[in-house]
Amino acid sequence: MQLQKEKFGVYNHKEIFEYTITNSAGMSLSVISYGAIITKIMVPDKEGTLEDVTMNVSSLEEIVAERPFHGAVIGRVSGRIADARYLDQGTEIVLDQNENTNILHGGYTGIDQHVWKVTTSESKEQASLLLKTISPDGEGGFPGDLAITVTYTLTEKGEVKIRYEATTNKRTLFNPTNHVYFNLNGNVKKPIYNHEIQVNSAHFAVLDEENIPTGELRSVENTAFDLRTLTNVEEVLKSDEKQIVERKGLDHPFVLRKTKDIPDAVLKEKNSGRVLKMHTDADALVVYTHNKEQMLTTTNEETLPIHGGLTLETCRLPDAVNQENFGSIWLEPGEEFSSETVFTFTVE
């Protein structure tokens, strides 16, 4: 395993570094200290050609200016909380309203905008980046000082592991994810239409017009949301399902079934031969297919196309604090949150 550190830019007079772990097959994982953002995952295709299989912007200037969330750790609470408020034992907690009247991805200042402290560890079979930050009491409106550690690991087996850990000094909410976009073509100018996707889920969360779950968990049976077997992504995106048409693609939470020895999700691209298998201990997965073109403002960046990538955001179901049947995202003092997601890359 090799571990490199290079300057990526400057933010608020602080140097931001990019850390790159490379295994013996040449596969590499790159992460920056700003936002704990995954900037690149270089993966060989069936011919051995290394290409970046993520969709991202390449400059810190653009990341700070546009806050695109690409590759970032999201929180305190990923997704949306309806009306940017919730009840805690009868007390109303009011949060940032940074998307209409709702809160999205932690509010006006989320952990995707923190400068994280980074340490490294290395062994023969894997290397890790340990990133730490504290979300202060009141950030985004959330109570408590929240101490967060995110550990990124690359292994010789082609695994990218993301582990989340957190503790708090006040009762609060925590439901993180990573917003990395995958494009197994190795070229974001080629949309994901040639990809196949599989999600081990029998139910998805129905969304309202503001992309807030209504509370209904609908069966995928006889719908375009039935991804229990490998399904062409373009067929899904061209579906006449109202939920998909309105959003120009998927932006939906799926309840994972947790079947032994079956991945929670699979992504394949036949031309390159690249295969991504995902396992997680989270109970839900949000699949978002980058449903709009993203205009970039800095001179050294190109426009990111609609459907140029696809996210597999592992988490609890969005707006869980306001939905009785969505599970708990509470974190109490004295408790420790922990969750891990593993992306395994292979070639066929």
Side-chain angles (χ1 to χ4, degrees), residues 211-273:
N211 289 329
I212 303 288
T214 64
E216 178 188 357
L217 298 177
R218 185 177 296 175
S219 171
V220 301
E221 191 76 34
N222 298 319
T223 75
F225 294 93
D226 191 349
L227 307 177
R228 290 174 291 184
T229 58
L230 278 170
T231 304
N232 176 255
V233 170
E234 186 173 26
E235 291 181 9
V236 178
L237 299 179
K238 287 184 175 180
S239 162
D240 60 3
E241 293 269 357
K242 183 180 179 182
Q243 286 271 309
I244 295 175
V245 172
E246 290 175 342
R247 291 159 185 82
K248 299 181 180 179
L250 292 174
D251 192 6
H252 291 79
F254 291 80
V255 180
L256 296 173
R257 291 195 293 182
K258 298 299 174 187
T259 308
K260 186 179 180 181
D261 299 327
I262 295 179
D264 295 302
V266 177
L267 199 61
K268 286 188 175 185
E269 197 284 298
K270 290 182 178 178
N271 293 330
S272 69

Side-chain angles (χ1 to χ4, degrees), residues 87-158:
L87 287 177
D88 182 3
Q89 300 172 336
T91 300
E92 185 176 67
I93 307 297
V94 179
L95 308 171
D96 289 351
Q97 293 182 333
N98 66 317
E99 188 190 66
N100 301 320
T101 61
N102 310 308
I103 185 172
L104 171 68
H105 291 340
Y108 291 114
T109 304
I111 57 178
D112 62 288
Q113 296 166 299
H114 286 204
V115 178
W116 296 60
K117 295 180 180 179
V118 185
T119 57
T120 64
S121 66
E122 190 175 354
S123 70
K124 184 178 179 180
E125 296 300 322
Q126 64 181 42
S128 298
L129 307 171
L130 287 77
L131 294 95
K132 295 179 181 287
T133 193
I134 293 178
S135 176
D137 186 18
E139 185 170 51
F142 294 99
D145 293 320
L146 188 69
I148 308 166
T149 300
V150 174
T151 303
Y152 291 108
T153 300
L154 176 65
T155 74
E156 287 289 355
K157 297 178 181 179

Side-chain angles (χ1 to χ4, degrees), residues 18 36 64 77 97 103 169 186 200 218 232 256 276 278-279 288 299 308:
E18 182 178 54
V64 172
V77 175
Q97 293 182 333
I103 185 172
N169 61 1
N200 187 21
R218 185 177 296 175
N232 176 255
L256 296 173
L276 169 57
M278 189 202 79
H279 293 81
Y288 177 53
T299 56

Side-chain angles (χ1 to χ4, degrees), residues 56-58 62 187-189 293-305:
N56 214 327
V57 296
S58 61
E62 184 66 35
N187 181 353
V188 297
K189 294 180 180 179
E293 183 179 68
Q294 185 166 339
M295 301 296 293
L296 304 178
T297 58
T298 59
T299 56
N300 61 333
E301 297 288 344
E302 295 184 9
T303 299
L304 297 176

Side-chain angles (χ1 to χ4, degrees), residues 10-26:
V10 177
Y11 172 74
N12 281 353
H13 308 293
K14 296 180 181 178
E15 288 188 323
I16 304 301
F17 292 96
E18 182 178 54
Y19 299 79
T20 299
I21 306 169
T22 306
N23 68 17
S24 61

Side-chain angles (χ1 to χ4, degrees), residues 280-328:
T280 184
D281 55 19
D283 57 11
L285 172 68
V286 175
V287 180
Y288 177 53
T289 49
H290 199 261
N291 299 331
K292 58 184 178 182
E293 183 179 68
Q294 185 166 339
M295 301 296 293
L296 304 178
T297 58
T298 59
T299 56
N300 61 333
E301 297 288 344
E302 295 184 9
T303 299
L304 297 176
I306 184 172
H307 304 147
L310 178 151
T311 65
L312 301 170
E313 303 169 53
T314 58
C315 55
R316 291 276 190 178
L317 287 166
D319 200 32
V321 70
N322 293 316
Q323 304 285 352
E324 291 184 3
N325 61 329
F326 276 19
S328 172

